[in-house]
Amino acid sequence: MTDELNSCRICGEFVLQIPGWSYYVPSYTLLRAEWRSDAPFFEGALHFSCLSGWEHREAFLAEIRTIMTGYGKSLMFEAGGETHTPHQPGFHFGDPIYRGEGCEIFRHTATDSWLVLTRRGPWFRLEREQLATLAEHGTARAAGGGERTELPEGPALAAEEVSGMGLAELLDLLGSADRYPGLSEGAPEYTVWSFHERKRVLEYSVAVDLPLPAPARTFLASYAREYQPIVLDDEPDSAEGSGGDAGRKPGGRDPGGAPPAPRG
């Protein structure tokens, strides 16, 4: 049985978070779910492969695009007979640098980071180091980080047993291997940090080559050799001045108000 927190909001199966193949939409994004009658917002885990074939994909991706490339806006909705006006954040990937048949690419307006939005569903955030790797080797690799999840109910598992499993074996055990097509081609490096037998809590990391569309790889490999890094002005105007322009990107946008962009 898969619990509510780790189940895919599209297919209902367990989601093991792996960069480039799955994602967790946090509640604070306030992603509007206009296709639902039971809840105004979408939050939770999903497989990108499920998103690609989902009937509500276009509406979902339109919302993701607005949030990721925007600067935040107020929303209005009614619930319980009352009108609410929460603020939807924007993640400031507002500088479009590429548009092709299968994807779009945006640069963050205050930091050296980029966003690849695909037409089929998956999206990817890239940092400066990954762009440099693309220029040299044609691949962008997610370094892997701390992930923590509770495995679904099932036969008892010993810590030694889980620690000795490879990633493919674990996905087979979870019954969701088919939700990660092409994962083996990304040369994943799966590391188990710990497994709590009674609570079935797994701590792990996966480093993997991101499955960027070929046009995005080609464009970014060339772009990486020529782009100019963003330079922030860290010097205040004067000792007596307000320093209001310190830390701003030329052009006047203030990076300080943007929340941290989610991984993906």
Side-chain angles (χ1 to χ4, degrees):
M1 179 180 179
T2 301
D3 65 33
E4 184 71 11
L5 180 65
N6 296 319
S7 61
C8 177
R9 292 298 182 268
I10 299 173
C11 75
E13 295 183 6
F14 184 81
V15 178
L16 187 73
Q17 292 296 340
I18 298 177
W21 276 266
S22 60
Y23 192 78
Y24 190 94
V25 178
S27 59
Y28 68 80
T29 60
L30 296 179
L31 193 158
R32 295 175 301 174
E34 296 183 348
W35 58 89
R36 296 180 60 176
S37 59
D38 59 334
F41 301 109
F42 180 103
E43 62 178 284
L46 57 84
H47 303 106
F48 278 150
S49 62
C50 294
L51 176 60
S52 294
W54 193 28
E55 60 181 325
H56 302 300
R57 181 190 69 204
E58 291 187 8
F60 178 94
L61 290 179
E63 273 290 287
I64 282 290
R65 189 183 192 279
T66 296
I67 293 169
M68 298 298 288
T69 64
Y71 300 93
K73 64 180 180 180
S74 293
L75 304 176
M76 182 178 294
F77 72 98
E78 293 187 4
E82 297 182 357
T83 300
H84 302 267
T85 55
H87 187 78
Q88 184 185 67
F91 292 112
H92 294 211
F93 285 95
D95 184 8
I97 61 172
Y98 173 84
R99 184 172 185 176
E101 182 177 346
C103 68
E104 296 177 275
I105 304 175
F106 300 83
R107 185 177 185 176
H108 197 279
T109 56
T111 64
D112 285 320
S113 53
W114 295 263
L115 176 72
V116 179
L117 295 176
T118 71
R119 299 282 194 274
R120 293 294 299 170
W123 64 91
F124 311 92
R125 178 183 174 179
L126 303 175
E127 304 299 337
R128 188 172 176 177
E129 296 78 8
Q130 290 166 310
L131 235 66
T133 304
L134 272 168
E136 295 178 5
H137 307 294
T139 60
R141 190 165 182 84
E147 299 285 355
R148 189 175 188 271
T149 189
E150 181 179 347
L151 298 185
E153 295 178 5
L157 295 169
E160 296 80 5
E161 180 182 4
V162 174
S163 298
M165 287 183 184
L167 181 57
E169 185 179 0
L170 175 62
L171 291 174
D172 282 337
L173 176 70
L174 297 172
S176 56
D178 60 339
R179 303 299 180 185
Y180 300 84
L183 179 59
S184 62
E185 298 171 10
E189 297 178 33
Y190 168 64
T191 303
V192 176
W193 290 358
S194 68
F195 179 70
H196 191 288
E197 296 179 7
R198 182 173 63 83
K199 296 182 178 181
R200 300 178 72 86
V201 173
L202 173 66
E203 294 186 349
Y204 68 99
S205 71
V206 179
V208 64
D209 292 341
L210 295 173
L212 296 173
R217 293 199 307 269
T218 300
F219 170 80
L220 288 172
S222 176
Y223 169 86
R225 301 183 184 100
E226 301 177 357
Y227 88 94
Q228 295 297 315
I230 291 174
V231 177
L232 300 179
D233 180 8
D234 294 326
E235 296 296 327
D237 291 342
S238 68
E240 293 80 16
S242 64
D245 290 332
R248 290 180 185 265
K249 179 188 177 222
R253 289 199 177 107
D254 186 355
R263 287 177 301 147

